[in-house]
PDB file of all heavy atoms in Angstrom:
ATOM      1  N   PRO T   4      34.757  77.186 131.070  1.00 39.00           N
ATOM      2  CA  PRO T   4      35.109  76.785 129.717  1.00 39.00           C
ATOM      3  C   PRO T   4      35.974  77.823 129.036  1.00 39.00           C
ATOM      4  O   PRO T   4      36.907  77.512 128.320  1.00 39.00           O
ATOM      5  CB  PRO T   4      33.765  76.597 129.034  1.00 39.00           C
ATOM      6  CG  PRO T   4      32.821  76.287 130.145  1.00 39.00           C
ATOM      7  CD  PRO T   4      33.281  77.079 131.285  1.00 39.00           C
ATOM      8  N   ARG T  74      55.050  94.511 118.584  1.00 85.00           N
ATOM      9  CA  ARG T  74      55.409  95.924 118.704  1.00 85.00           C
ATOM     10  C   ARG T  74      56.693  96.227 117.949  1.00 85.00           C
ATOM     11  O   ARG T  74      56.822  97.254 117.274  1.00 85.00           O
ATOM     12  CB  ARG T  74      55.572  96.297 120.179  1.00 85.00           C
ATOM     13  CG  ARG T  74      55.801  97.786 120.424  1.00 85.00           C
ATOM     14  CD  ARG T  74      56.303  98.035 121.824  1.00 85.00           C
ATOM     15  NE  ARG T  74      57.655  97.537 122.001  1.00 85.00           N
ATOM     16  CZ  ARG T  74      58.755  98.199 121.648  1.00 85.00           C
ATOM     17  NH1 ARG T  74      58.661  99.390 121.085  1.00 85.00           N
ATOM     18  NH2 ARG T  74      59.949  97.661 121.836  1.00 85.00           N
ATOM     19  N   PHE T 134     102.502 111.827 153.452  1.00 86.00           N
ATOM     20  CA  PHE T 134     103.351 112.331 154.539  1.00 86.00           C
ATOM     21  C   PHE T 134     102.555 112.496 155.824  1.00 86.00           C
ATOM     22  O   PHE T 134     103.023 112.126 156.920  1.00 86.00           O
ATOM     23  CB  PHE T 134     103.982 113.665 154.124  1.00 86.00           C
ATOM     24  CG  PHE T 134     104.812 114.304 155.201  1.00 86.00           C
ATOM     25  CD1 PHE T 134     106.083 113.814 155.501  1.00 86.00           C
ATOM     26  CD2 PHE T 134     104.335 115.391 155.917  1.00 86.00           C
ATOM     27  CE1 PHE T 134     106.851 114.400 156.506  1.00 86.00           C
ATOM     28  CE2 PHE T 134     105.088 115.984 156.912  1.00 86.00           C
ATOM     29  CZ  PHE T 134     106.356 115.479 157.202  1.00 86.00           C
ATOM     30  N   THR T 136      99.858 110.867 156.621  1.00 86.00           N
ATOM     31  CA  THR T 136      99.541 109.516 157.103  1.00 86.00           C
ATOM     32  C   THR T 136     100.736 108.899 157.818  1.00 86.00           C
ATOM     33  O   THR T 136     100.593 108.230 158.845  1.00 86.00           O
ATOM     34  CB  THR T 136      99.113 108.625 155.925  1.00 86.00           C
ATOM     35  OG1 THR T 136      98.016 109.231 155.238  1.00 86.00           O
ATOM     36  CG2 THR T 136      98.702 107.251 156.407  1.00 86.00           C
ATOM     37  N   GLY T 171     115.502  90.299 159.536  1.00 88.00           N
ATOM     38  CA  GLY T 171     116.943  90.338 159.655  1.00 88.00           C
ATOM     39  C   GLY T 171     117.635  89.016 159.407  1.00 88.00           C
ATOM     40  O   GLY T 171     118.420  88.879 158.463  1.00 88.00           O
ATOM     41  N   ARG T 173     116.631  86.071 158.315  1.00 91.00           N
ATOM     42  CA  ARG T 173     116.346  85.404 157.044  1.00 91.00           C
ATOM     43  C   ARG T 173     116.811  86.204 155.832  1.00 91.00           C
ATOM     44  O   ARG T 173     116.801  85.690 154.716  1.00 91.00           O
ATOM     45  CB  ARG T 173     114.855  85.112 156.932  1.00 91.00           C
ATOM     46  CG  ARG T 173     114.324  84.248 158.072  1.00 91.00           C
ATOM     47  CD  ARG T 173     112.895  83.849 157.876  1.00 91.00           C
ATOM     48  NE  ARG T 173     112.389  83.125 159.053  1.00 91.00           N
ATOM     49  CZ  ARG T 173     111.185  82.568 159.117  1.00 91.00           C
ATOM     50  NH1 ARG T 173     110.357  82.655 158.086  1.00 91.00           N
ATOM     51  NH2 ARG T 173     110.794  81.943 160.219  1.00 91.00           N
ATOM     52  N   ILE T 178     121.599  89.299 151.328  1.00 93.00           N
ATOM     53  CA  ILE T 178     122.370  90.530 151.463  1.00 93.00           C
ATOM     54  C   ILE T 178     123.867  90.223 151.429  1.00 93.00           C
ATOM     55  O   ILE T 178     124.659  90.969 150.823  1.00 93.00           O
ATOM     56  CB  ILE T 178     121.974  91.259 152.756  1.00 93.00           C
ATOM     57  CG1 ILE T 178     120.546  91.803 152.623  1.00 93.00           C
ATOM     58  CG2 ILE T 178     122.948  92.390 153.066  1.00 93.00           C
ATOM     59  CD1 ILE T 178     120.040  92.514 153.856  1.00 93.00           C
ATOM     60  N   GLY T 211     136.953 100.633 150.105  1.00 89.00           N
ATOM     61  CA  GLY T 211     136.616 100.881 151.495  1.00 89.00           C
ATOM     62  C   GLY T 211     135.734 102.087 151.686  1.00 89.00           C
ATOM     63  O   GLY T 211     134.677 102.017 152.336  1.00 89.00           O
ATOM     64  N   THR T 236     103.586  95.491 153.297  1.00 92.00           N
ATOM     65  CA  THR T 236     102.413  95.968 152.565  1.00 92.00           C
ATOM     66  C   THR T 236     101.443  94.838 152.284  1.00 92.00           C
ATOM     67  O   THR T 236     100.225  94.995 152.438  1.00 92.00           O
ATOM     68  CB  THR T 236     102.857  96.614 151.241  1.00 92.00           C
ATOM     69  OG1 THR T 236     103.761  97.687 151.508  1.00 92.00           O
ATOM     70  CG2 THR T 236     101.661  97.150 150.478  1.00 92.00           C
ATOM     71  N   VAL T 259      97.455 100.083 164.822  1.00 83.00           N
ATOM     72  CA  VAL T 259      98.765 100.643 164.498  1.00 83.00           C
ATOM     73  C   VAL T 259      99.803 100.185 165.510  1.00 83.00           C
ATOM     74  O   VAL T 259     100.913  99.768 165.164  1.00 83.00           O
ATOM     75  CB  VAL T 259      98.696 102.178 164.429  1.00 83.00           C
ATOM     76  CG1 VAL T 259     100.068 102.764 164.139  1.00 83.00           C
ATOM     77  CG2 VAL T 259      97.688 102.620 163.389  1.00 83.00           C
ATOM     78  N   LEU T 286     133.706  94.124 151.603  1.00 92.00           N
ATOM     79  CA  LEU T 286     135.164  94.150 151.758  1.00 92.00           C
ATOM     80  C   LEU T 286     135.776  92.773 151.539  1.00 92.00           C
ATOM     81  O   LEU T 286     136.889  92.657 150.993  1.00 92.00           O
ATOM     82  CB  LEU T 286     135.522  94.672 153.152  1.00 92.00           C
ATOM     83  CG  LEU T 286     135.152  96.129 153.439  1.00 92.00           C
ATOM     84  CD1 LEU T 286     135.509  96.501 154.864  1.00 92.00           C
ATOM     85  CD2 LEU T 286     135.827  97.070 152.455  1.00 92.00           C
ATOM     86  N   VAL T 317     132.697 104.202 158.540  1.00 87.00           N
ATOM     87  CA  VAL T 317     131.762 103.192 159.037  1.00 87.00           C
ATOM     88  C   VAL T 317     130.605 103.871 159.772  1.00 87.00           C
ATOM     89  O   VAL T 317     129.435 103.497 159.619  1.00 87.00           O
ATOM     90  CB  VAL T 317     132.486 102.195 159.962  1.00 87.00           C
ATOM     91  CG1 VAL T 317     131.515 101.133 160.470  1.00 87.00           C
ATOM     92  CG2 VAL T 317     133.652 101.547 159.240  1.00 87.00           C
ATOM     93  N   VAL T 358     108.615 100.430 144.845  1.00 93.00           N
ATOM     94  CA  VAL T 358     109.141 101.517 144.007  1.00 93.00           C
ATOM     95  C   VAL T 358     109.388 102.770 144.843  1.00 93.00           C
ATOM     96  O   VAL T 358     110.454 103.397 144.768  1.00 93.00           O
ATOM     97  CB  VAL T 358     108.176 101.802 142.849  1.00 93.00           C
ATOM     98  CG1 VAL T 358     108.631 103.033 142.060  1.00 93.00           C
ATOM     99  CG2 VAL T 358     108.076 100.595 141.920  1.00 93.00           C
ATOM    100  N   ILE T 361     112.386 102.258 147.363  1.00 94.00           N
ATOM    101  CA  ILE T 361     113.712 102.341 146.739  1.00 94.00           C
ATOM    102  C   ILE T 361     114.033 103.776 146.333  1.00 94.00           C
ATOM    103  O   ILE T 361     115.160 104.257 146.527  1.00 94.00           O
ATOM    104  CB  ILE T 361     113.774 101.395 145.529  1.00 94.00           C
ATOM    105  CG1 ILE T 361     113.683  99.937 145.995  1.00 94.00           C
ATOM    106  CG2 ILE T 361     115.053 101.609 144.727  1.00 94.00           C
ATOM    107  CD1 ILE T 361     113.625  98.934 144.866  1.00 94.00           C
TER     108      ILE T 361
END
Side-chain angles (χ1 to χ4, degrees):
R74 186 195 69 83
F134 177 76
T136 304
R173 302 186 185 185
I178 291 179
T236 302
V259 178
L286 294 178
V317 181
V358 174
I361 293 175

